[in-house]
Amino acid sequence: MDKKKVAQKIKELREELNHHNYKYYVKNNPEISDYEYDQLLKKLEKLEDKYPDLITPDTPTQRVGGKPLDEFQTVKHKIPMLSLANTYNEQELIDFDERVQKNVGKVEYVVEPKIDGAGIALYYENGVFVRGATRGDGIKGDDITQNLKTIHSIPLRLQHDVLSTIEVRGEVFMTKSGFKEYNKEQIKQDKQPFANPRNAAAGSIRQLDPNIVAERPLDAFIYLLSYTETPFNTQEKVLDALKKAGFKTNPLSKKVKNINEAIKYCKKLEEKRDSLDYDIDGAVLKVNSIKKQQNLGSTSKNPRWAISYKFAAQQATTVLKDIDIQVGRTGALTPVAILKPVDVGGVTVSRATLHNFDELKRKDIRIHDTVLIERSGDVIPQVVKSITEKRSGEEQKKPIPKTCPICNTPVQHKEGEVAIRCPNKMCPARLKWRMKYYASRDAMDIDHLGESTVDKLLDKNMIENVADLYDLKKEDILQIEGFKEKSAQNLIESIKQSKKQDLSRLIYGLGIRHVGKYAAQLLARHFSSIDKLAEATEEELKEIDGLGEKSAEAIATFFTSEENITLINRLKEYGVNTESKKAEKEQSLKGKRFVFTGSLEDLSRSKAGDIVKEQGGMVTSSVSKNVNYVVVGKKPGSKYEKAKKQGIPIIKEDEFLYMTKKKEKR
Ligand code: IVH
């Protein structure tokens, strides 16, 4: 290929990759599978390897892979980054509106969620992302370009030439679900968890190593155009242009006619707060007209054309009455604060996690202390700090236990590990967790086997390990308080059904240390059966792409235990599936493209998409000749008509479920 052709091919690949990146990360609506995306990226990488002079700063291959820095460079913001004045009630908003009207007459507002993350400024030159910075002191911030490039929803090149040389402002955040998963993993690996998604986001973008940043589930909303060569009339149009340029803008931002409507919408956003997958701590009101914004101007600290309305705090202070100790599945002892019940942003909180004894010591939290509690969405509330000014001298430190509070076995504290553990594998607390873990949704998904049922089964010595579950008879269950004929039958049926689960779920359900959902899936794809996995040496396991060293070690150790081998043999005897069905399944929809239209009854759209992807197919948003099936639900849209016209096979939800073996034909 001559160089000109290569340059053209590279250009096309970049455009294609940017398009799919945008569909996936900004629109949440991918058109191709991850595998296909990776193939395209590899193609581009290969060409760029051969022709390094054709590498540009905005190429999609350059999102990850930068070298760790010694320190950040300081950059001066093109325009100072002001902060917003806060209001806490309706009257203060009305006062703000009066001040505005006095200066510029009647105004419309745009009301936006106030994202609780870390503020950033992004600078684009001729449509290419050249620099990104933290807020810093408002005048100067840290150059965190490398880190921001790893966030896929931040475009490296703008999609539309309305915006070309610009500076925009926005907020980096971590989703609540991402935060939960991330912390779970941190704790599992004996690392310090983050206190909340905001700290996680702010801490992450200040990491010197971009490779670490790339592993964190970060995202960014953009909400302000702070420098532009093409002026806009209104904030509403600005948001529209930002969206067209490829930025992720917040879908809940809304233009309203006056302050009363603005107040109403602020309250609506507050009601929505807990249902969102990212933290918001208030609403922001912005005067819609840019001209009026300019007329209003700013003080040295805040703009006069915008204000924040802060929601009720999700923090509160209360008294810590006692510190309880929980023993987890792996034997780790976790201190838990027992609190005088307190309302935190509308929810009564009476327990909060203290994570581990290191944290307890570091924060110097004592029994009878007055403590600050924080809650975020459905994340377990936590103790932020103790208010030492309120101490009377009566407060007591909680000593690190020498023995397990459940089974009295002396505890272990391994060097280099944060956790203190009960080493007794038969500790009732550990058995209970193992059982719960095995039955949980991500593992064997056994319906009707809740915590209290597990407790009762253990109390009555009916089970000792997960294999015993398959030995239970209806008569046994009927001895448990609260169970009747029908409910006992249901439980037996659920246990029986779990025998058919995928190998990846069984591997996950065994609760091997350092083996989460993804590692389990990886292992099930790699090995055809549990026996093959058990036979693998630590070295072989370490060779598996994507599996960490600690996981490899833990897996090898797990299968050296005779007890574990006996357990697996028993599971096999009871008919639990220990073979990988993945390979065969993956073939079934391989290369097939699906379009969904109308509302589905049994499945959510995302679940339907998961099924397609799981079995090797892909979901597309528009009907074309390349589509193999159009799945129609209730009230299908124009895609249905189009499919009919083009003669593309149309199937109902039921047929889709049969096809993907999610339902058996009657
Ligand atoms: S506008 C000149 N809009 O809140 C005013 N800020 O104290 C620029 N924030 O530093 C800010 N969501 O980090 C604006 N929709 C939003 C926001 C928002 C969150 C943050 C931002 C800013 C702080 C204001």
Side-chain angles (χ1 to χ4, degrees):
M1 241 195 293
D2 70 32
K3 188 118 182 229
K4 225 170 164 187
K5 270 199 183 142
V6 175
Q8 179 59 26
K9 183 74 200 156
I10 285 184
K11 184 168 172 263
E12 281 168 20
L13 278 169
R14 283 179 189 157
E15 278 168 10
E16 211 177 337
L17 280 158
N18 281 338
H19 168 77
H20 291 304
N21 180 73
Y22 174 73
K23 284 298 231 180
Y24 189 96
Y25 290 99
V26 180
K27 291 285 167 198
N28 279 331
N29 187 13
E31 284 173 358
I32 58 172
S33 64
D34 294 359
Y35 175 77
E36 284 174 301
Y37 184 87
D38 288 344
Q39 294 304 309
L40 286 173
L41 197 66
K42 276 195 187 132
K43 237 190 228 170
L44 179 59
E45 264 168 0
K46 241 183 167 169
L47 285 177
E48 287 180 344
D49 268 356
K50 234 170 150 183
Y51 300 91
D53 55 317
L54 293 178
I55 296 178
T56 54
D58 66 322
T59 179
T61 57
Q62 302 289 305
R63 279 201 185 265
V64 207
K67 291 199 177 63
L69 300 171
D70 292 329
E71 59 174 1
F72 292 119
Q73 299 283 325
T74 305
V75 280
K76 191 162 182 267
H77 298 301
K78 213 164 165 59
I79 317 272
M81 275 177 95
L82 302 180
S83 59
L84 296 169
N86 292 325
T87 61
Y88 296 91
N89 55 47
E90 269 182 48
Q91 190 53 50
E92 287 176 335
L93 283 178
I94 292 169
D95 294 347
F96 164 74
D97 180 59
E98 266 177 17
R99 289 197 298 277
V100 167
Q101 291 214 35
K102 218 164 140 191
N103 277 298
V104 293
K106 269 193 176 335
V107 292
E108 293 176 334
Y109 291 104
V110 172
V111 182
E112 304 171 4
K114 186 167 188 296
I115 316 298
D116 198 8
I120 50 162
L122 308 176
Y123 186 59
Y124 288 77
E125 225 162 48
N126 300 321
V128 177
F129 177 49
V130 289
R131 199 167 48 250
T134 59
R135 180 173 182 277
D137 62 4
I139 307 292
K140 285 188 207 136
D142 285 337
D143 183 336
I144 52 163
T145 312
Q146 284 212 92
N147 292 347
L148 293 175
K149 274 191 171 177
T150 68
I151 301 176
H152 283 263
S153 57
I154 295 179
L156 299 179
R157 169 180 282 277
L158 302 178
Q159 284 178 8
H160 214 273
D161 44 15
V162 184
L163 297 176
S164 164
T165 294
I166 54 167
E167 193 203 59
V168 297
R169 301 276 161 87
E171 203 84 358
V172 169
F173 64 96
M174 195 180 272
T175 56
K176 291 182 199 168
S177 49
F179 166 78
K180 259 208 261 182
E181 284 272 314
Y182 187 77
N183 261 2
K184 217 161 96 186
E185 205 50 42
Q186 287 287 101
I187 292 168
K188 228 174 170 181
Q189 295 185 10
D190 266 305
K191 289 188 195 151
Q192 200 68 32
F194 282 117
N196 52 47
R198 180 193 53 243
N199 287 6
S204 296
I205 59 169
R206 285 197 183 77
Q207 276 285 335
L208 289 164
D209 184 354
N211 296 295
I212 294 179
V213 187
E215 283 170 9
R216 306 217 172 144
L218 299 173
D219 206 339
F221 280 125
I222 303 301
Y223 44 66
L224 203 74
L225 184 59
S226 41
Y227 173 83
T228 172
E229 289 168 352
T230 345
F232 290 85
N233 290 336
T234 62
Q235 167 70 1
E236 193 186 15
K237 286 192 177 143
V238 163
L239 289 178
D240 212 39
L242 289 172
K243 191 170 163 189
K244 282 209 183 91
F247 291 107
K248 188 168 198 158
T249 53
N250 192 290
L252 297 172
S253 298
K254 186 180 163 170
K255 188 193 81 175
V256 296
K257 289 253 168 297
N258 53 44
I259 193 70
N260 287 336
E261 278 191 23
I263 291 170
K264 245 197 248 162
Y265 194 59
C266 283
K267 296 207 164 134
K268 204 159 173 192
L269 286 177
E270 187 160 11
E271 277 168 26
K272 270 196 178 283
R273 182 183 196 177
D274 276 351
S275 70
L276 301 174
D277 196 26
Y278 46 88
D279 273 337
I280 61 175
D281 60 344
V284 180
L285 269 65
K286 294 176 185 165
V287 168
N288 191 25
S289 155
I290 304 283
K291 192 144 192 217
K292 291 187 177 177
Q293 286 186 5
Q294 283 159 355
N295 288 341
L296 283 157
S298 307
T299 68
S300 63
K301 282 198 209 124
N302 315 119
R304 290 197 194 87
W305 48 267
I307 199 136
S308 91
Y309 169 75
K310 294 278 255 187
F311 297 153
Q314 284 190 308
Q315 284 192 334
T317 56
T318 187
V319 174
L320 188 152
K321 294 196 301 189
D322 201 357
I323 295 176
D324 218 6
I325 295 167
Q326 271 184 2
V327 182
R329 184 176 53 86
T330 59
L333 269 50
T334 305
V336 178
I338 309 298
L339 308 165
K340 185 170 163 224
V342 60
D343 181 284
V344 190
V347 172
T348 306
V349 173
S350 52
R351 290 166 78 83
T353 176
L354 289 160
H355 294 301
N356 54 55
F357 284 93
D358 260 15
E359 181 111 333
L360 194 66
K361 196 167 154 203
R362 193 170 55 80
K363 291 184 174 169
D364 186 21
I365 291 162
R366 304 179 190 179
I367 299 170
H368 303 312
D369 258 346
T370 299
V371 288
L372 181 68
I373 306 299
E374 185 175 85
R375 181 178 78 81
S376 147
D378 51 355
V379 178
I380 309 163
Q382 25 201 330
V383 178
V384 182
K385 60 174 186 179
S386 59
I387 319 273
T388 46
E389 296 77 18
K390 294 234 168 139
R391 279 192 180 152
S392 66
E394 300 288 299
E395 294 74 16
Q396 293 155 11
K397 289 192 183 177
K398 175 87 181 174
I400 297 179
K402 295 216 162 32
T403 57
C404 168
I406 308 293
C407 69
N408 268 327
T409 308
V411 296
Q412 272 180 1
H413 193 180
K414 280 202 189 133
E415 210 173 300
E417 275 197 2
V418 176
I420 292 167
R421 290 177 204 282
C422 164
N424 174 14
K425 287 200 181 108
M426 299 309 279
C427 170
R430 293 184 61 179
L431 288 178
K432 177 177 137 189
W433 282 105
R434 274 216 291 278
M435 208 67 76
K436 267 180 60 187
Y437 194 79
Y438 185 81
S440 69
R441 287 228 348 234
D442 286 339
M444 301 298 269
D445 195 14
I446 307 180
D447 264 352
H448 314 289
L449 189 62
E451 191 166 342
S452 72
T453 306
V454 169
D455 277 344
K456 287 172 194 155
L457 288 167
L458 284 168
D459 280 351
K460 288 194 183 289
N461 290 327
M462 286 182 178
I463 50 172
E464 248 182 26
N465 61 37
V466 295
D468 297 337
L469 285 174
Y470 299 100
D471 216 6
L472 287 172
K473 308 271 173 311
K474 194 164 79 186
E475 297 71 54
D476 302 326
I477 311 276
L478 280 170
Q479 288 176 35
I480 301 174
E481 189 194 310
F483 272 93
K484 300 231 164 60
E485 187 65 29
K486 176 101 178 98
S487 47
Q489 185 58 40
N490 284 342
L491 177 54
I492 291 287
E493 192 54 36
S494 301
I495 294 173
K496 192 170 146 208
Q497 283 299 326
S498 75
K499 293 182 188 176
K500 291 192 215 151
Q501 290 289 18
D502 233 50
L503 177 62
S504 66
R505 286 174 171 271
L506 175 66
I507 296 175
Y508 176 75
L510 289 174
I512 306 169
R513 285 192 66 201
H514 305 295
V515 177
K517 215 163 63 180
Y518 300 106
Q521 284 168 0
L522 192 70
L523 292 166
R525 269 201 302 271
H526 201 273
F527 295 97
S528 56
S529 68
I530 198 113
D531 291 341
K532 288 268 180 314
L533 172 64
E535 282 165 18
T537 63
E538 191 175 322
E539 281 60 42
E540 281 164 359
L541 289 160
K542 279 184 180 157
E543 301 257 298
I544 299 176
D545 220 13
L547 193 75
E549 278 203 8
K550 275 194 171 175
S551 315
E553 254 172 59
I555 297 160
T557 313
F558 182 89
F559 288 106
T560 53
S561 142
E562 211 157 298
E563 226 177 295
N564 291 333
I565 299 293
T566 312
L567 177 82
I568 286 163
N569 285 337
R570 276 190 66 206
L571 288 174
K572 268 198 266 178
E573 275 165 28
Y574 288 122
V576 174
N577 169 47
T578 56
E579 309 270 318
S580 179
K581 286 187 248 164
K582 259 270 131 53
E584 157 208 338
K585 250 196 187 167
E586 248 169 14
Q587 297 304 322
S588 66
L589 298 185
K590 194 156 182 142
K592 299 269 186 281
R593 289 174 192 259
F594 284 77
V595 167
F596 289 89
T597 174
S599 57
L600 304 180
E601 271 175 19
D602 287 346
L603 293 168
S604 67
R605 276 283 174 94
S606 78
K607 179 80 191 141
D610 283 351
I611 295 175
V612 172
K613 280 182 231 158
E614 207 177 86
Q615 305 190 13
M618 60 202 105
V619 178
T620 309
S621 55
S622 57
V623 175
S624 73
K625 282 264 173 280
N626 297 332
V627 170
N628 299 84
Y629 296 100
V630 174
V631 184
V632 292
K634 277 210 171 119
K635 292 198 188 142
S638 60
K639 289 177 197 170
Y640 174 53
E641 296 302 326
K642 205 167 166 191
K644 268 204 293 195
K645 250 190 218 150
Q646 300 199 6
I648 295 163
I650 295 167
I651 59 171
K652 295 212 179 96
E653 187 178 355
D654 259 1
E655 289 168 275
F656 172 73
L657 289 168
Y658 301 143
M659 173 192 266
T660 53
K661 304 202 178 66
K662 293 289 161 190
K663 205 169 171 180
E664 280 170 33
K665 273 196 182 173
R666 259 166 279 152

